Amino acid sequence: MDPLRTLWETFFDWESMREALPDMLTVGLPNTLILAVTAALLGSALGILLAVAGISRTRWLRWPARVYTDVFRGLPAAATILLIGVGLAPLGMQVWGPNPYPLGILALSLIASAYIGEIFRSGIQSVEATQLEAARALGFSWGEAMRMVIIPQGIRRILPAWVNQLIALIKDSSLVYFLGLLASQRELFRIGQDYAANTGNQSALLLAGLFYLALTVPLTHVVNWIDRRLRHGRPATGPAGDDPDDLDLALPGAAGGNQR
């Protein structure tokens, strides 16, 4: 059979896509967003703590944060999800019953926190040391200076990298299917996989991939836009227009100088 025809029939069966579309819209897409956004928020909260501990002068804070980061960044995401989802399953049974969904969120959060912690640490350390010295000179304690001066500036600088991590979490959420989610908890990839197994056609998986592209490509452009705004700021505008000569004429005293 013609290879191109085989490719088309295997991945571009519009009828198979049409059958899978309702479940992907009503079940897969919401669950994917819940997994990714919740993990990003929890991972960010833990990541800030890891970043502060990682730059602490106290080695009893710095070394555990370093080991945690190295372990969860070094392990494959699938291994971490299985380790948390299967290893903590007995505890999860006692807390919320036979529901692996929270354990999947916990695993993604732990993975995200290791990366986000390093992102926050680099952002905090990129702030000039004179900022901390100035805050201390004004009477701030070290903790107040970090909380009110240094960390806000660091967060502003790492927004593009944080959004990139959210994109990675959206894709990593597809690995939660290892835990055997309920039908109502399936994310995009799992739904595509189920339809592909039932029909023998891979078009539903391609449709799931298109959903991931629809989520991640706009976020990529948002990252680029944020990065440009942070590097260049807003375009300079004034009441006299964008022309530099017009701006000079609008300055106080400029008219008198021109008359001279």
Side-chain angles (χ1 to χ4, degrees):
M1 188 179 291
D2 184 7
L4 291 179
R5 181 180 177 184
T6 302
L7 177 67
W8 182 266
E9 292 178 351
T10 303
F11 289 97
F12 295 92
D13 186 346
W14 306 116
E15 183 63 25
S16 297
M17 290 186 180
R18 188 184 64 81
E19 291 179 4
L21 183 60
D23 280 344
M24 289 195 177
L25 285 174
T26 59
V27 179
L29 181 60
N31 282 326
T32 295
L33 292 175
I34 289 172
L35 287 167
V37 174
T38 306
L41 294 176
L42 294 177
S44 297
L46 182 55
I48 291 178
L49 298 178
L50 288 171
V52 174
I55 62 175
S56 173
R57 296 177 181 177
T58 305
R59 62 179 179 179
W60 301 113
L61 290 176
R62 188 172 63 252
W63 280 105
R66 187 75 264 166
V67 171
Y68 176 97
T69 300
D70 289 343
V71 168
F72 282 100
R73 290 178 70 190
L75 284 174
T80 302
I81 290 172
L82 286 173
L83 181 66
I84 300 299
V86 177
L88 298 182
L91 178 62
M93 287 284 292
Q94 299 176 7
V95 178
W96 46 69
N99 183 2
Y101 202 76
L103 290 176
I105 292 176
L106 175 61
L108 289 175
S109 301
L110 295 177
I111 296 169
S113 66
Y115 289 94
I116 293 175
E118 285 298 283
I119 292 172
F120 279 131
R121 184 178 65 82
S122 64
I124 292 172
Q125 290 183 324
S126 71
V127 179
E128 295 78 6
T130 54
Q131 296 281 330
L132 180 60
E133 295 170 0
R136 296 301 301 274
L138 291 173
F140 288 92
S141 66
W142 185 87
E144 290 172 338
M146 290 295 295
R147 186 175 67 254
M148 302 177 65
V149 178
I150 304 301
I151 291 179
Q153 293 186 63
I155 290 176
R156 182 177 180 270
R157 298 182 182 189
I158 56 87
L159 277 177
W162 186 89
V163 179
N164 275 329
Q165 186 57 37
L166 176 59
I167 292 173
L169 277 172
I170 290 174
K171 295 183 288 186
D172 285 346
S173 66
S174 63
L175 299 174
V176 178
Y177 84 93
F178 284 134
L179 303 182
L181 299 175
L182 302 176
S184 60
Q185 299 172 337
R186 295 176 299 169
E187 32 67 46
L188 289 168
F189 181 79
R190 181 63 183 179
I191 291 177
Q193 190 180 48
D194 287 346
Y195 273 93
N198 292 333
T199 63
N201 189 281
Q202 307 300 313
S203 299
L205 282 173
L206 177 62
L207 180 61
L210 294 177
F211 270 95
Y212 284 112
L213 284 176
L215 291 172
T216 57
V217 170
L219 282 175
T220 302
H221 290 287
V222 169
V223 169
N224 295 334
W225 180 80
I226 292 175
D227 187 53
R228 286 196 302 270
R229 289 295 295 269
L230 292 179
R231 284 190 290 109
H232 303 298
R234 296 181 180 179
T237 57
D242 294 334
D243 188 88
D245 295 332
D246 292 340
L247 292 176
D248 289 338
L249 291 175
L251 293 173
N258 290 333
Q259 290 174 356
R260 290 194 297 271

